[in-house]
Amino acid sequence: MQVRSLFLLLALILVAATAEAGKSKKEKAKKDGSKCEDWRWGPCVPNSKDCGLGYREGTCRDESKKLKCKIPCNWKKKFGADCKYKFESWGGCSAQTGLKTRSGILKKALYNAQCEETVYVTKPCSSKIKSKAKGQ
């Protein structure tokens, strides 16, 4: 019986310590002193070239902040790194243009980005002819 009581007491202490640690993390996040909730964020500006680590500036009334951000080096420059799309499969190859096309529908706009609802992308058709499975 004493072992159970001791185990229960240790579990309660562990839960209380975890809850206290969680509180301090939340308080640290709120320590920036800003009570503003209507932040307007600009695009992510890379530190060098056109991708990689950078920063994003935000304003709210007369306050301003800078956040670290990252632009993947394979992002679609036409759409912006803050516009996320769900793309359908590539269409067939057009004999006239030599291009494949597919469309994407806006899934998420990050940091109040102005994004198009539907976008279209093209890429050159593959010059390789896919062979059928071996052993036929």
Side-chain angles (χ1 to χ4, degrees):
M1 190 69 166
Q2 289 179 344
V3 174
R4 267 192 199 162
S5 299
L6 182 62
F7 182 71
L8 183 60
L9 181 62
L10 286 173
L12 287 173
I13 291 172
L14 181 61
V15 168
T18 305
E20 190 63 33
K23 268 187 189 176
S24 63
K25 286 181 184 177
K26 288 179 184 175
E27 289 171 2
K28 285 179 186 177
K30 292 183 179 180
K31 278 191 177 179
D32 64 4
S34 174
K35 294 183 181 180
C36 191
E37 294 181 11
D38 191 28
W39 284 93
R40 301 286 179 199
W41 297 98
C44 185
V45 178
N47 293 331
S48 63
K49 299 187 181 179
D50 61 351
C51 62
L53 296 176
Y55 65 93
R56 170 188 319 280
E57 290 186 6
T59 58
C60 185
R61 297 186 196 120
D62 55 348
E63 296 181 51
S64 63
K65 282 187 194 179
K66 280 188 178 182
L67 293 179
K68 292 179 183 177
C69 61
K70 182 178 179 183
I71 298 176
C73 291
N74 64 349
W75 66 299
K76 309 290 187 269
K77 296 174 188 167
K78 180 180 176 186
F79 317 134
D82 295 330
C83 300
K84 305 298 180 192
Y85 293 92
K86 176 157 178 69
F87 286 92
E88 59 187 32
S89 299
W90 288 103
C93 184
S94 168
Q96 296 170 341
T97 62
L99 299 172
K100 294 185 200 184
T101 305
R102 71 177 177 171
S103 63
I105 297 173
L106 183 65
K107 188 167 60 169
K108 186 188 282 189
L110 305 174
Y111 296 99
N112 304 335
Q114 300 297 315
C115 303
E116 295 178 45
E117 286 296 318
T118 305
V119 293
Y120 298 92
V121 291
T122 59
K123 72 176 186 178
C125 298
S126 175
S127 60
K128 296 179 183 177
I129 299 173
K130 293 184 180 179
S131 61
K132 296 201 179 206
K134 294 181 180 178
Q136 287 185 351

